[in-house]
Amino acid sequence: MFLSLPRLVTAVLFSALLVTTAQAQDNSPAATGPSGGPLAGVAVLQLVVAPLSAESARCGLQADLVKESFQQPLTTEGLGLQKSAHVRIIVKATTVIYTETTCISNIEASAVQNTRYFDRKTGTERAGQVLLWQESGLFVTGERDHVVLTNIGFRDLARSFIRKWKIDQ
């Protein structure tokens, strides 16, 4: 799918507006309000990197580099990582190649927790997931620089998680 240049510019400007709005909301009194949020007491996480597409690979993204970029800020903060934990962070990258040398990647990370509950209507126990946190970003770069900038983006997503985690404690 190829976008016209005006549409691409509109998408980049809209993404910048969303990032600016999200940063403004992070500094709001509600964001720095009382502790005890959904991430309270979380000390161990499971980190999962979703499979990357051929387009992502062509633009230089590699699952091990994505994992390392996201994991480094978490371990620096003292959060433990295990292969199985109650809270799982899922990291994704969706990439399209706009022109022969321009890569566009939407990167996303979300923290979910498995839950079990009793459904009174059916009289059965059910399982599900609760979304605890989510953040994303859009990167439009040349193919040569794409991997470096998106890996910085993954590190920034991890730092966003840490900010939320600290508020909730």
Side-chain angles (χ1 to χ4, degrees), residues 119-155:
D119 185 342
R120 291 183 191 186
K121 287 184 179 180
T122 63
T124 60
E125 186 177 50
R126 303 190 90 179
Q129 293 183 341
V130 176
L131 180 65
L132 305 175
W133 167 86
Q134 187 173 23
E135 192 75 41
S136 64
L138 182 68
F139 292 85
V140 181
T141 68
E143 187 175 342
R144 220 181 66 207
D145 300 323
H146 198 70
V147 67
V148 172
L149 294 174
T150 53
N151 282 339
I152 291 169
F154 283 117
R155 222 175 241 124

Side-chain angles (χ1 to χ4, degrees), residues 24-77:
Q25 289 174 348
D26 282 347
N27 296 327
S28 68
T32 58
S35 63
L39 296 173
V42 172
V44 178
L45 302 164
Q46 177 186 3
L47 182 59
V48 177
V49 177
L52 298 172
S53 67
E55 289 84 5
S56 294
R58 178 175 161 195
C59 292
L61 299 179
Q62 299 171 7
D64 57 336
L65 291 176
V66 169
K67 185 174 184 176
E68 182 180 320
S69 294
F70 198 90
Q71 149 182 333
Q72 188 271 333
L74 300 177
T75 56
T76 299
E77 198 58 44

